[in-house]
Amino acid sequence: MNDSRRRRTAAATCLAVTGALLAAGCGGEASGSSAETSSLKGTPVKVMVWNPEDTQGSAQPGVRLTAQAYEKWINANGGIKGGPLKVLTCNEKNDPDEAEKCAQQAVAEKVVAVVGSYSLAGDRYMPILQKAGIPYIGGTGVSAAEFSNPLSFPVNGGTPVVFAAHGRQLVQDGCKKISGVRYDLAAAAIVSQFLTLGAVSAGGAPPKDLKVPLTATDLAPQVAATKGSDCVSVILGTASGLFVKSYIQSGAKTKLGSVVGNLTPQLAASTGGSGSPLEGAAITGYFPPTSDPAWKDFLAATKGDKDIDVTNGANETTWVAFKVLTEAAGKLPSISAKTLVQELNTTSGIDTGGLTPALNWKASTALPIKGLNRIHNTTATELTIRDGKIEWAKAGSTFVDVRKVLTAIPAG
């Protein structure tokens, strides 16, 4: 099998592990059904959200909290076609068996959609939803099935898009010699492949691929291995702080960068704020920074809730997914799972208020790569850490589209 074919077929099987690098894990309260009530008189629109909580893995309590914040906000603003949004939640505990139970509960509750959820077990829950005709809107791009199942409607392009865009951004920022630091896992190799694809497409050299053992607690050897590079992409999820700690101790001055969810404002704050070595880091994301006016409703709805990290990619994706649900459902004479699927598959464009380009899932806009054909939004955002916060990299920045970069992979 040639290298290009390996890249194309490996992508669909490796997203579960690499996608987990895109969102910071944190603890939180257990999931449950929302008790939110509403005086709205229209037909309730019942949906489900699931996410892992109270687990040793990548807990994402903010996904549930964001969904409940949206429920409260939309119901205070007229609901959906005059009816209240009702959000049911389920804790899938980073356990495929529990994720399957959540899907079965969604079927039993006859929800019209599963929205903005987080789970690595797509191969277990998507067949259940597909059989019941229930759409999966948004997700967070951490499961391969999210990018292949016909009932999945992702709002971003996941690992392939964001890492290809990241390689491109680094080169355009002047990086001539790049090192990418990632875990020593076969599944994580896809990160290096798409990073390389993006860098080479922009005229750069293939990045050096540096691997970190899963059990490593001192990353001084990896920092030393970046010598000779002028930029380092740190792709270690919540463990990115380990690399930064060793980087600071070494006295290195190499420019840092990553995709959203790795080098975070919290990490910048803990390493000096505006004086942090993360200042000026090249960050590639899916959406605008939260300082952008497009997020005003999200910020208003979550104001004062310290348990919701508004910069967390999983939380942001959940909000965008609910925007999609609201816009699509608002066009329907009668809201059901069946009519919602039909609307999403045929819409000329869903307006998310500037959080993404107009979204659609028509066959003509699918990414023509096997296993990734449910990716329709191939855009990313070029960001940076400025004064300890994630901001647009440049004034006037907007979405960049890497579709041509990804489709340049030879078929075969």
Side-chain angles (χ1 to χ4, degrees), residues 22 39 46 110 177 222 281-282 329 332 334 405:
L22 305 182
S39 60
K46 186 164 59 173
K110 299 180 180 179
K177 296 181 179 179
Q222 284 75 25
L332 299 173
S334 177
V405 174

Side-chain angles (χ1 to χ4, degrees), residues 33 43 47 61 71 82 149 154 200 207 243 338 343 358 362 376 391:
S33 296
T43 303
V47 302
E71 174 188 36
N149 191 285
V200 172
F243 181 89
K338 183 177 180 179
E343 175 62 30
K362 292 182 178 180
H376 291 254
E391 301 286 359

